[in-house]
Amino acid sequence: DVVEGDGWRVEIANVPHFQPYLVCHGFRLEAEDGVFAYSGDCGASAAMRELAREADVLVHMLVFPKPNLAADASPSDMTHKALAELARDARVETLVASHLDPMIDRDGVRERVIGEMAEIYKGTLIWSEDLMEIAIGED
């Protein structure tokens, strides 16, 4: 779906989260100052990759890898390496990791995860905090 106004455009797509119980959406906002994409709380998907394409800023949830991710994964799981790959492949300028689980946002773990993401994604990586503001555009 697309909603447009004077000088802006929002594209909305279904993204995987807690199916079949929830219908979840990702968003792409295009305006004069740039492009902002937001995943909500979703896992890897072609729809989210398309919403994120060449975004100035992508805000995306991040979960810590489970010990047996292949067996335990759900469609809403987004590991740090998968998120770095999504941002790289979509050519995102700034990636903001959000909705951080307490087990990933700890001293030592945080630094290791950021280091592993930086090996894959070469853009700006921001570790989110509540009430954080991120400017888009030159101002």
Side-chain angles (χ1 to χ4, degrees), residues 4 15 18-19 23-24 33 47 55 61 63 66 88 101 105 120:
E4 296 182 79
V15 294
F18 195 60
Q19 275 68 31
V23 175
C24 299
D33 289 336
M61 66 90 67
V63 297
K66 294 179 180 178
R88 177 198 63 204
D101 189 282
D105 196 22
I120 299 166

Short mmCIF file of all heavy atoms in Angstrom, two decimals, residues 4 15 18-19 23-24 33 47 55 61 63 66 88 101 105 120:
data_model
loop_
_atom_site.label_atom_id
_atom_site.label_comp_id
_atom_site.label_asym_id
_atom_site.label_seq_id
_atom_site.Cartn_x
_atom_site.Cartn_y
_atom_site.Cartn_z
N GLU A 4 0.17 8.96 -0.04
CA GLU A 4 0.97 10.11 -0.44
C GLU A 4 0.33 11.40 0.01
O GLU A 4 -0.89 11.50 0.14
CB GLU A 4 1.11 10.14 -1.97
CG GLU A 4 1.88 8.95 -2.51
CD GLU A 4 2.06 9.00 -4.02
OE1 GLU A 4 2.95 9.76 -4.45
OE2 GLU A 4 1.31 8.32 -4.72
N VAL A 15 5.19 -7.63 6.81
CA VAL A 15 6.48 -8.24 7.16
C VAL A 15 6.23 -9.34 8.19
O VAL A 15 5.26 -9.30 8.93
CB VAL A 15 7.47 -7.18 7.70
CG1 VAL A 15 7.86 -6.18 6.61
CG2 VAL A 15 6.92 -6.45 8.92
N PHE A 18 4.71 -12.48 13.96
CA PHE A 18 4.13 -13.53 14.80
C PHE A 18 2.94 -14.14 14.07
O PHE A 18 1.84 -14.18 14.58
CB PHE A 18 3.74 -12.93 16.16
CG PHE A 18 3.46 -13.96 17.22
CD1 PHE A 18 4.42 -14.87 17.61
CD2 PHE A 18 2.22 -14.00 17.83
CE1 PHE A 18 4.14 -15.81 18.59
CE2 PHE A 18 1.93 -14.94 18.81
CZ PHE A 18 2.90 -15.85 19.19
N GLN A 19 3.21 -14.57 12.83
CA GLN A 19 2.15 -15.15 12.02
C GLN A 19 1.83 -16.55 12.53
O GLN A 19 2.71 -17.21 13.05
CB GLN A 19 2.58 -15.22 10.56
CG GLN A 19 2.35 -13.96 9.78
CD GLN A 19 3.23 -12.79 10.24
OE1 GLN A 19 4.34 -12.98 10.68
NE2 GLN A 19 2.72 -11.60 10.16
N VAL A 23 -0.82 -9.43 12.07
CA VAL A 23 -0.47 -8.85 10.78
C VAL A 23 0.45 -7.68 11.11
O VAL A 23 0.06 -6.77 11.85
CB VAL A 23 -1.72 -8.36 10.01
CG1 VAL A 23 -1.31 -7.66 8.74
CG2 VAL A 23 -2.64 -9.54 9.73
N CYS A 24 1.68 -7.72 10.60
CA CYS A 24 2.67 -6.71 10.94
C CYS A 24 3.12 -5.98 9.69
O CYS A 24 3.11 -6.55 8.59
CB CYS A 24 3.86 -7.35 11.64
SG CYS A 24 3.37 -8.16 13.17
N ASP A 33 13.84 15.54 2.34
CA ASP A 33 15.09 15.41 3.09
C ASP A 33 15.71 14.03 3.03
O ASP A 33 16.87 13.86 3.40
CB ASP A 33 14.88 15.79 4.56
CG ASP A 33 14.66 17.28 4.74
OD1 ASP A 33 15.11 18.06 3.87
OD2 ASP A 33 14.03 17.67 5.72
N ALA A 47 10.26 -8.26 1.51
CA ALA A 47 9.48 -7.02 1.63
C ALA A 47 10.25 -5.96 2.41
O ALA A 47 10.30 -4.80 2.00
CB ALA A 47 8.14 -7.30 2.30
N ALA A 55 17.88 3.49 1.71
CA ALA A 55 17.35 4.39 2.74
C ALA A 55 18.49 5.17 3.39
O ALA A 55 19.60 4.64 3.55
CB ALA A 55 16.60 3.60 3.81
N MET A 61 14.60 -3.88 14.35
CA MET A 61 14.78 -4.67 15.57
C MET A 61 15.93 -5.65 15.42
O MET A 61 16.28 -6.05 14.33
CB MET A 61 13.49 -5.40 15.94
CG MET A 61 13.06 -6.48 14.98
SD MET A 61 13.70 -8.13 15.30
CE MET A 61 12.90 -8.53 16.81
N VAL A 63 17.60 -9.17 17.48
CA VAL A 63 17.60 -10.16 18.56
C VAL A 63 18.95 -10.85 18.60
O VAL A 63 19.66 -10.91 17.61
CB VAL A 63 16.47 -11.21 18.40
CG1 VAL A 63 15.11 -10.56 18.47
CG2 VAL A 63 16.63 -12.02 17.14
N LYS A 66 20.11 -17.25 18.81
CA LYS A 66 19.80 -18.36 19.71
C LYS A 66 20.86 -19.45 19.54
O LYS A 66 21.46 -19.57 18.47
CB LYS A 66 18.42 -18.91 19.38
CG LYS A 66 17.31 -17.90 19.66
CD LYS A 66 15.96 -18.47 19.28
CE LYS A 66 14.88 -17.44 19.58
NZ LYS A 66 13.57 -17.93 19.19
N ARG A 88 23.49 -3.98 4.25
CA ARG A 88 24.49 -3.97 3.18
C ARG A 88 23.84 -4.15 1.82
O ARG A 88 24.06 -3.38 0.89
CB ARG A 88 25.52 -5.07 3.42
CG ARG A 88 26.58 -5.18 2.31
CD ARG A 88 27.29 -6.50 2.31
NE ARG A 88 26.35 -7.59 2.04
CZ ARG A 88 26.55 -8.85 2.41
NH1 ARG A 88 27.62 -9.20 3.09
NH2 ARG A 88 25.66 -9.79 2.11
N ASP A 101 17.21 -6.80 22.99
CA ASP A 101 16.96 -7.67 24.13
C ASP A 101 18.04 -7.42 25.19
O ASP A 101 19.20 -7.19 24.85
CB ASP A 101 17.00 -9.12 23.66
CG ASP A 101 16.55 -10.07 24.73
OD1 ASP A 101 17.35 -10.36 25.64
OD2 ASP A 101 15.40 -10.52 24.66
N ASP A 105 22.27 -6.41 24.93
CA ASP A 105 22.70 -5.06 25.30
C ASP A 105 23.44 -5.08 26.64
O ASP A 105 23.04 -4.44 27.60
CB ASP A 105 21.48 -4.13 25.35
CG ASP A 105 21.88 -2.67 25.34
OD1 ASP A 105 23.01 -2.36 24.89
OD2 ASP A 105 21.08 -1.84 25.77
N ILE A 120 30.46 -6.94 8.13
CA ILE A 120 29.53 -7.15 7.01
C ILE A 120 29.02 -5.83 6.45
O ILE A 120 29.03 -5.60 5.24
CB ILE A 120 28.34 -8.02 7.48
CG1 ILE A 120 28.85 -9.39 7.94
CG2 ILE A 120 27.30 -8.16 6.37
CD1 ILE A 120 27.82 -10.19 8.72
#
